[in-house]
Amino acid sequence: MIILKLGGSVITRKDRDKPTLDPVNLDRIAQEIARSNVDELVIVHGAGSFGHPYASKFEIGSEITDEKEFFRKKRGFTLTQNAVQNLNHYVCNFLLKHGIPAIALPPSSFMVCENKRIKTANLEMVERYLEMGMVPVLHGDVVLDDNKNIQMAVVSGDQIITYLAENLKPERIILGSDVDGIYNRDPKAHPEAQLLPVVNSMDDLEFLEGARTVDVTGGMAGKLKELLDLAEIGTESEIINAGNAKIVECALKGEKVRGTLITKNV
Ligand code: ATP
Ligand code: IPE
């Protein structure tokens, strides 16, 4: 089984504050997935500009101080869910158009968090659809949280990947981002940044000049933390550029592509 993440930065225009799809990338990636003919595949996509504007406006995951705030957050929760489900609908449409038997599985309907980490999830449906030869399509979502002070949390596609990997034991995990992999500093801000072919510790980055950029921009640092945890329990993952043609297809087929391998520190 392969778990493939499609970054919100690739399938949406993440620089927009309104939900904006990137239909060109999505159509191309769906074709590449179809051509790769993977036997058992689970897809998880990010929320991009569909989820983040609502989740941050309503501060989902922050403490609920009173009844009024509770009411406001519930509205934010449902609006965010609706927006990411819209994105999921587009993603599945493109996959289906290219013959991939995609089946939507929104995490908000079967996962629960505790302190913003996934606590329980009924993965039986994921497994049953896989056994049927279908391709479950999950996504970064909002989910209920058992911590009474917050009650609702945002769960990233990256956290979902980690949880699925721990429980489903895939052969490979591939994360398609809009950059070639992990660099010694943010490649968008620093054109001279160098790609790291292998990363096995957060220290790899912290000792390097400009590594704090990673934290400031958020995305890559959070992703890397999740993936290093996974590497520790023996599951490697690869970050590749899904924004460039043929990379997803070649990676799915097991061909060597430019990217970063996240592996255990030995
Ligand atoms: P999403 O999280 O929306 O699903 P994604 O998985 O592609 O999308 P992002 O969270 O957008 O990931 O993170 C990727 C971004 O992180 C890149 O576009 C890049 O600008 C930024 N970044 C910051 N520091 C680094 C770094 N050291 N190496 C690589 N990318 C970095
Ligand atoms: C966030 O998911 C989920 C919501 C904002 C509801 P991700 O963290 O996976 O989204 P991206 O990858 O940053 O776009």
Side-chain angles (χ1 to χ4, degrees):
M1 179 202 310
I2 299 181
I3 300 182
L4 173 69
K5 159 98 191 276
L6 300 178
S9 55
V10 184
I11 59 170
T12 76
R13 298 293 307 273
K14 219 175 162 178
D15 51 336
R16 306 287 169 88
D17 55 5
K18 294 242 156 30
T20 312
L21 194 71
D22 190 325
V24 176
N25 269 351
L26 195 47
D27 191 53
R28 174 183 54 76
I29 292 168
Q31 282 185 60
E32 292 188 23
I33 296 171
R35 279 199 297 261
S36 69
N37 269 323
V38 173
D39 247 358
E40 274 195 312
L41 180 67
V42 177
I43 295 175
V44 179
H45 63 80
S49 57
F50 283 68
H52 288 290
Y54 286 116
S56 72
K57 179 178 173 200
F58 290 92
E59 296 168 285
I60 307 297
S62 74
E63 205 160 309
I64 296 165
T65 42
D66 52 37
E67 268 305 307
K68 200 173 148 211
E69 180 58 13
F70 184 43
F71 188 80
R72 187 176 165 273
K73 277 211 166 44
K74 275 193 289 186
R75 172 137 180 91
F77 183 94
T78 49
L79 286 172
T80 313
Q81 210 296 316
N82 187 256
V84 292
Q85 198 155 342
N86 268 342
L87 173 60
N88 181 254
H89 191 68
Y90 284 121
V91 173
C92 289
N93 274 351
F94 276 98
L95 293 170
L96 290 166
K97 176 182 155 194
H98 293 290
I100 300 155
I103 178 82
L105 281 178
S108 49
S109 60
F110 68 97
M111 286 185 173
V112 175
C113 275
E114 184 166 69
N115 295 321
K116 305 183 197 177
R117 300 295 302 174
I118 299 165
K119 181 185 169 190
T120 51
N122 181 0
L123 297 184
E124 197 192 327
M125 293 314 294
V126 176
E127 291 173 310
R128 291 201 48 182
Y129 284 124
L130 277 170
E131 275 163 27
M132 293 276 291
M134 296 187 194
V135 175
V137 185
L138 289 71
H139 53 84
D141 204 349
V142 283
V143 305
L144 296 181
D145 195 296
D146 281 346
N147 178 337
K148 286 282 164 272
N149 295 322
I150 58 175
Q151 302 205 38
M152 292 163 260
V154 176
V155 59
S156 70
D158 298 328
Q159 193 189 148
I160 293 169
I161 295 268
T162 313
Y163 188 88
L164 292 179
E166 281 166 2
N167 290 280
L168 301 178
K169 307 273 179 248
E171 276 95 52
R172 293 177 65 210
I173 298 171
I174 301 170
L175 293 100
S177 186
D178 68 339
V179 286
D180 288 352
I182 308 234
Y183 287 75
N184 55 355
R185 53 206 305 199
D186 187 348
K188 286 198 183 139
H190 304 275
E192 77 288 0
Q194 284 174 354
L195 181 70
L196 305 174
V198 180
V199 169
N200 50 31
S201 159
M202 214 64 194
D203 295 348
D204 287 1
L205 296 174
E206 274 155 19
F207 288 139
L208 294 168
E209 195 207 342
R212 287 211 161 69
T213 326
V214 178
D215 280 6
V216 177
T217 44
M220 261 315 166
K223 192 185 306 304
L224 187 55
K225 281 197 189 95
E226 297 284 352
L227 299 177
L228 284 170
D229 285 351
L230 208 51
E232 268 317 300
I233 61 163
T235 310
E236 291 183 345
S237 51
E238 304 148 63
I239 301 184
I240 56 159
N241 195 336
N244 290 345
K246 297 287 263 176
I247 303 286
V248 169
E249 182 177 343
C250 291
L252 286 172
K253 286 177 173 166
E255 294 165 17
K256 177 116 190 68
V257 296
R258 185 173 159 84
T260 299
L261 178 73
I262 320 290
T263 183
K264 199 161 137 176
N265 203 350
V266 280

